[in-house]
């Protein structure tokens, strides 16, 4: 089997809440997502989606996905989409860096492999290690009382894990953490995610101010070294996200005891092939993961569900149902949340079918 063509579709994903705010005043109102189709000479097409969180979160941006596909796309024509390691080594050799560009090609090829074998992707990733996947809800940065009110609403929908967007004013962030923890049950999980928004001094102060609370601290500062310094000063469980961008940084962080949990974002590391490798390293080292991506709709949510379902429950700290945040459906067959959980489809591949009347005409054709 050979890759014969690649198409990319641009689609806007408005938010039910109207706006998503995180650290340092960053926000998005409509996400710019790219749906990718990888076509083959066997008549089988695989699909994937890549949706960066704006341009101020990671070294990635929406237009960059499509520009990168125009660059790398011609260089994968003729390759066998089911030879996933060969494909990934080739992509790395013809385009240095830009893992988020390579991710949808890799994921679409996993979709193809599933369709060829008649197996769901979670089977190919290791099998059903859990039947349903526990979800967290991200709480957009607002005033402490507003965030507490939103958590109460989402708790009523079945969520028991919450990721609080902090990384703003230190005094307000302390109030945000306290106000939201107060309304939760003892068994509920609260993560204070600063998204690199604190200085080392602010992070040290905030961690000390909430030392009496059951709260996880996630990615307080921009650099690995700053986060490691904060980690040494607090007994709160610690999550690293933005600075864990591949196997190399993961191995260093494990050796340095830099975190208790990682946030494994599939497109950040280059797709399912590399995410599976990092997942397996985490399981072998006893490190739980939040399994997710930067953002997305139905196809990203399906991809997350397959990787998470093939991960042992004790190492699947949480995952994300991004398609429940938006107002637009872009594919049928995607997972739907039920009482704070989701699961992956048993259909071959990712189990989704793009809604082309929503996607419109492709903006990239290779």
């Amino acid at each position: 089997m050979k890759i014969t063509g690649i198409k990319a579709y641009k689609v806007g994903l408005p938010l039910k809440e109207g706006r998503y705010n995180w650290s340092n005043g960053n926000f998005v109102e409509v996400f710019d997502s790219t749906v990718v189709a990888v076509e083959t000479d066997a008549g089988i097409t695989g699909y994937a989606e890549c949706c960066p969180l704006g341009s101020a979160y990671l070294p990635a941006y929406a237009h960059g996905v499509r520009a990168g596909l125009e660059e790398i796309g011609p260089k994968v024509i003729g390759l066998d989409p089911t030879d996933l390691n060969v494909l990934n080594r080739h992509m790395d050799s013809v385009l240095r860096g830009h893992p988020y560009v390579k991710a949808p090609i890799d994921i679409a090829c996993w979709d193809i492999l599933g369709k060829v074998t008649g197996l769901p992707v979670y089977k190919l990733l290791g099998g059903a290690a859990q039947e349903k996947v526990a979800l967290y809800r991200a709480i957009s940065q607002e005033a402490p009382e507003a965030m507490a009110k939103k958590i109460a609403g989402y708790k009523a929908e079945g969520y028991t894990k919450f990721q609080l967007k902090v990384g703003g004013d230190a005094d307000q962030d302390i109030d945000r953490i306290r106000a939201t923890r107060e309304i939760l049950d003892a068994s509920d999980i609260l993560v204070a995610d600063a998204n690199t928004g604190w200085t080392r001094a602010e992070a040290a102060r905030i961690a000390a101010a909430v030392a009496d609370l059951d709260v996880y601290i996630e990615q307080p500062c921009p650099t690995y070294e700053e986060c490691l310094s904060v980690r040494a000063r607090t007994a709160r469980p610690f999550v690293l996200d933005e600075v864990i961008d591949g196997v190399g940084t993961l191995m260093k962080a494990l050796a340095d005891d830099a975190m208790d949990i990682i946030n494994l974002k599939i497109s950040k590391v280059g797709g399912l092939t590399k995410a599976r490798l990092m997942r397996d390293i985490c399981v072998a080292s006893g490190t739980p993961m939040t399994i997710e991506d930067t953002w997305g709709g139905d196809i990203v949510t399906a991809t997350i569900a397959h990787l998470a379902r093939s991960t042992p429950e004790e190492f699947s700290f949480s995952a994300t149902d991004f398609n429940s945040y938006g107002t637009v459906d872009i594919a049928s067959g995607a997972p739907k949340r039920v009482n704070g959980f989701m699961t992956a489809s048993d259909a071959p591949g990712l189990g989704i079918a793009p809604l082309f009347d929503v996607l419109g005409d492709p903006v990239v054709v290779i």
Side-chain angles (χ1 to χ4, degrees), residues 67-76 91-92 94-95 101-102 105:
L69 288 169
E70 290 181 322
E71 174 66 28
I72 198 173
K75 298 171 183 177
V76 301
M91 288 195 292
D92 286 343
V94 299
L95 180 65
V101 170
K102 302 165 188 174
I105 296 176

Side-chain angles (χ1 to χ4, degrees), residues 165-178:
K165 290 302 175 182
V166 288
D169 175 79
D171 291 332
Q172 282 200 329
D173 281 344
I174 293 168
D175 291 342
R176 289 178 176 114
I177 295 168
R178 288 197 167 278

Side-chain angles (χ1 to χ4, degrees), residues 28-343:
V28 173
E29 294 175 337
V30 178
F31 282 90
D32 182 348
S33 192
T34 301
V35 174
V36 175
V38 174
E39 301 170 336
T40 69
D41 59 358
I44 297 173
T45 300
Y47 299 100
E49 179 187 5
C50 184
C51 185
L53 179 56
S55 59
Y57 171 61
L58 291 173
Y61 67 108
H63 291 292
V65 179
R66 297 183 286 269
L69 288 169
E70 290 181 322
E71 174 66 28
I72 198 173
K75 298 171 183 177
V76 301
I77 300 296
L79 295 182
D80 187 334
T82 65
D83 288 342
L84 288 155
N85 286 342
V86 174
L87 171 71
N88 274 270
R89 286 195 298 271
H90 180 74
M91 288 195 292
D92 286 343
S93 72
V94 299
L95 180 65
R96 302 292 180 180
H98 305 281
Y100 72 107
V101 170
K102 302 165 188 174
I105 296 176
D106 172 77
I107 294 164
C109 289
W110 278 94
D111 190 30
I112 291 170
L113 182 61
K115 291 172 178 176
V116 169
T117 59
L119 295 172
V121 166
Y122 75 80
K123 283 279 191 184
L124 302 173
L125 292 170
Q130 53 180 330
E131 288 305 313
K132 60 182 182 178
V133 177
L135 301 167
Y136 81 80
R137 191 73 185 190
I139 306 300
S140 175
Q141 189 177 116
E142 297 182 64
E145 312 78 40
M147 296 178 84
K149 184 177 180 180
K150 282 188 176 177
I151 282 186
Y154 287 122
K155 186 170 167 54
E157 294 181 16
Y159 288 100
T160 59
K161 303 183 180 195
F162 302 91
Q163 187 189 78
L164 198 66
K165 290 302 175 182
V166 288
D169 175 79
D171 291 332
Q172 282 200 329
D173 281 344
I174 293 168
D175 291 342
R176 289 178 176 114
I177 295 168
R178 288 197 167 278
T180 52
R181 184 69 257 185
E182 184 177 348
I183 67 164
L184 291 174
D185 294 334
S187 59
D188 293 334
I189 298 294
L190 182 65
V191 179
D193 184 6
N195 286 122
T196 77
W198 293 330
T199 64
R200 181 162 31 187
E202 288 172 331
R205 178 185 168 221
I206 293 164
V210 300
D212 60 313
L213 299 181
D214 181 7
V215 60
Y216 293 72
I217 304 297
E218 179 166 347
Q219 192 68 41
C221 304
T223 70
Y224 176 81
E225 291 76 15
E226 289 170 308
C227 289
L228 195 61
S229 172
V230 176
R231 157 81 159 165
R233 306 180 196 200
T234 179
R236 297 304 88 211
F238 212 76
V239 186
L240 287 181
D241 177 2
E242 285 90 331
V243 297
I244 305 298
D245 57 5
V247 171
T249 51
L250 173 59
M251 296 302 290
K252 177 174 175 54
L254 289 171
D256 291 343
D257 190 27
M259 73 281 160
D260 301 292
I261 295 167
I262 71 160
N263 192 311
L264 180 57
K265 288 186 166 68
I266 297 168
S267 69
K268 178 179 67 176
V269 303
L272 280 172
T273 300
K274 292 177 179 176
R276 178 185 62 169
L277 173 59
M278 294 177 67
R279 185 273 308 272
D280 291 345
I281 292 170
C282 284
V283 170
S285 66
T287 305
M289 295 151 278
T290 288
I291 296 174
E292 59 164 345
D293 215 318
T294 49
W295 205 271
D298 291 310
I299 305 174
V300 162
T301 302
T303 306
I304 293 167
H306 281 279
L307 183 60
R309 189 176 177 188
S310 66
T311 301
E313 181 180 355
E314 60 267 38
F315 298 109
S316 180
F317 179 65
S318 64
T320 321
D321 59 326
F322 281 124
N323 59 352
S324 76
Y325 290 70
T327 63
V328 174
D329 293 333
I330 63 171
S332 62
K336 299 297 182 184
R337 182 186 76 247
V338 179
N339 295 325
F341 292 84
M342 70 176 177
T343 194

